[in-house]
Amino acid sequence: MAGQTIMDSVTATIDQATRTAVTARIITYVQRGWPRLGTPLVRFRGQFCYVDAALPGHRQPTPILRLRYQGSADRWDIGIYLASDERYTESELPASFGPKTGTPEQGIDHTFILYAGPST
């Protein structure tokens, strides 16, 4: 198709079945790896999935991870919350971060370690 970009082929919103499945995956993975954080808060808006967690010493859940949907439950752009700027970024991740695209579990591994330490 002439004039079509890659972003045109990615769904702007995430269907309910994918939301439900990804939410369950994220909750299970965080509870298994970081049980001290309890149940993470997972919410969706447009093409994004946001993950917050109750960090030790904080009363409210802290933003940690934003996933940008890439058309599959296993393919997301991974963004980390920068508390200093109160924003998410996919472009300013540390070089040691690893791939900037991956599964929700890879996103959790790469971002939660920076906020909550290694998994147990």
Side-chain angles (χ1 to χ4, degrees), residues 8 16 30 37 43 45 51 56 78 91-92 103 109 120:
D8 291 337
Q16 189 58 51
V30 171
L37 302 181
R43 61 195 194 293
R45 185 169 186 180
V51 182
I78 301 167
S91 62
E92 297 176 25
T103 66
D109 283 341
T120 56

Side-chain angles (χ1 to χ4, degrees), residues 26-83:
I26 289 170
I27 290 171
T28 299
Y29 198 73
V30 171
Q31 288 179 331
R32 187 176 300 136
W34 292 268
R36 66 192 175 278
L37 302 181
T39 302
L41 173 63
V42 181
R43 61 195 194 293
F44 294 86
R45 185 169 186 180
Q47 64 183 340
F48 296 105
C49 171
Y50 298 89
V51 182
D52 301 354
L55 299 175
H58 294 255
R59 290 178 165 246
Q60 298 296 321
T62 300
I64 296 177
L65 170 66
R66 181 184 73 186
L67 301 166
R68 181 191 307 260
Y69 188 60
Q70 296 299 302
S72 164
D74 288 322
R75 185 165 171 79
W76 302 77
D77 284 342
I78 301 167
I80 189 169
Y81 184 76
L82 298 177

Side-chain angles (χ1 to χ4, degrees), residues 6 23-24 28 35 42 47 52-54 71 78 80 85 88 95 101 108 111:
I6 291 172
T23 297
T28 299
V42 181
Q47 64 183 340
D52 301 354
I78 301 167
I80 189 169
D85 294 339
Y88 293 91
T101 301
I108 290 165
T111 58

Side-chain angles (χ1 to χ4, degrees), residues 1 4-12 47 69-72:
M1 296 179 172
Q4 186 178 23
T5 67
I6 291 172
M7 287 307 293
D8 291 337
S9 65
V10 176
T11 305
Q47 64 183 340
Y69 188 60
Q70 296 299 302
S72 164

